[in-house]
Amino acid sequence: SQQGEEDPQALSIQEGENATMNCSYKTSINNLQWYRQNSGRGLVHLILIRSNEREKHSGRLRVTLDTSKKSSSLLITASRAADTASYFCATDGRNYGQNFVFGPGTRLSVLP
Amino acid sequence: KAGVTQTPRYLIKTRGQQVTLSCSPISGHRSVSWYQQTPGQGLQFLFEYFSETQRNKGNFPGRFSGRQFSNSRSEMNVSTLELGDSALYLCASSLSIGNPSHGYTFGSGTRLTVV
């Protein structure tokens, strides 16, 4: 079964607004990562949060982790058109015989 | 420094053929992982190599294979191509195996189309 699943599947907002994406997972993790993918390109690592951390910031990005609820959220503040991309969470999949397991992603569209 | 390089960028093959994709990791990175990305299945883990040894393998048929060379470059091979193998194949590199604190660096991928 899939380890990480993002919600919503698609999100459309206006430039300047905040965008929040959520990720839920099923088993205990060592860390959780968020990646961005522009259409048809490779993934870009955004941020990693460890299981003993609750919140982490990087520029306009804020990631939270709630291990009791097995969920994480990615907040992008003051969004820009250039933030239009798909966003994936990735969790440690070694219990599943993988290295990292990616969710299906959230497709974010930021409208000018 | 140079990023992860995947070649070729695009590829069109016929059913039944075989294909070899190449990935050159960031200099100094010794771990290379491969993923298949399709609209229906999302990102699926294929395999992971470290120091020329396959350390982990995803749930793909034996038609999918790979290897890593002493310079950490990796190749993956798909034999007897099927239409369903059409996908974006992504390679990711990292310094070490396991859970790298800095995440993985991905290449731009090889877009394979099987006709």
Side-chain angles (χ1 to χ4, degrees):
Chain A
S1 61
Q2 201 157 20
Q3 172 72 321
E5 297 210 6
E6 293 90 348
D7 163 60
Q9 289 187 341
L11 181 61
S12 188
I13 59 173
Q14 296 292 134
E15 242 182 346
E17 294 180 337
N18 295 342
T20 300
M21 289 158 270
N22 302 296
C23 170
S24 61
Y25 56 92
K26 294 185 170 66
T27 65
S28 60
I29 59 171
N30 294 318
N31 60 62
L32 184 145
Q33 304 181 48
W34 284 91
Y35 286 82
R36 182 187 76 230
Q37 183 181 36
N38 292 88
S39 182
R41 307 290 293 182
L43 280 74
V44 175
H45 180 253
L46 295 175
I47 199 164
L48 178 149
I49 186 165
R50 300 185 185 281
S51 60
N52 61 353
E53 297 175 309
R54 291 296 167 259
E55 189 171 310
K56 207 162 180 179
H57 296 254
S58 177
R60 293 183 297 112
L61 306 179
R62 173 178 167 251
V63 169
T64 61
L65 179 64
D66 187 334
T67 53
S68 66
K69 295 181 180 177
K70 291 187 171 57
S71 68
S72 172
S73 68
L74 169 66
L75 168 68
I76 304 174
T77 60
S79 63
R80 305 165 182 169
D83 294 328
T84 294
S86 291
Y87 292 82
F88 297 87
C89 68
T91 53
D92 180 5
R94 292 203 176 261
N95 289 337
Y96 296 88
Q98 304 189 19
N99 53 357
F100 286 102
V101 180
F102 288 86
T106 292
R107 175 69 190 165
L108 173 67
S109 297
V110 181
L111 307 174
Chain B
K1 57 183 178 182
V4 178
T5 303
Q6 289 189 248
T7 57
R9 189 78 178 85
Y10 300 94
L11 205 49
I12 299 176
K13 288 285 190 178
T14 305
R15 268 184 304 176
Q17 288 186 314
Q18 67 93 27
V19 66
T20 299
L21 311 181
S22 178
C23 172
S24 293
I26 289 175
S27 178
H29 283 197
R30 295 170 62 193
S31 171
V32 173
S33 300
W34 288 90
Y35 283 83
Q36 180 198 64
Q37 186 177 30
T38 59
Q41 298 298 316
L43 282 151
Q44 301 284 311
F45 170 72
L46 282 157
F47 20 67
E48 178 180 32
Y49 287 89
F50 182 79
S51 293
E52 301 177 65
T53 302
Q54 187 180 88
R55 301 303 178 110
N56 233 336
K57 189 177 190 300
N59 189 26
F60 277 81
R63 300 184 298 106
F64 291 81
S65 63
R67 59 178 175 169
Q68 187 180 35
F69 302 95
S70 58
N71 62 358
S72 294
R73 189 178 71 87
S74 177
E75 289 182 346
M76 66 162 282
N77 184 278
V78 188
S79 62
T80 319
L81 284 165
E82 300 176 359
L83 294 179
D85 297 332
S86 295
L88 180 66
Y89 289 88
L90 293 164
C91 162
S93 81
S94 66
L95 274 169
S96 61
I97 199 169
N99 297 317
S101 58
H102 52 279
Y104 285 82
T105 303
F106 281 80
S108 296
T110 293
R111 172 74 64 184
L112 172 65
T113 302
V114 182
V115 297

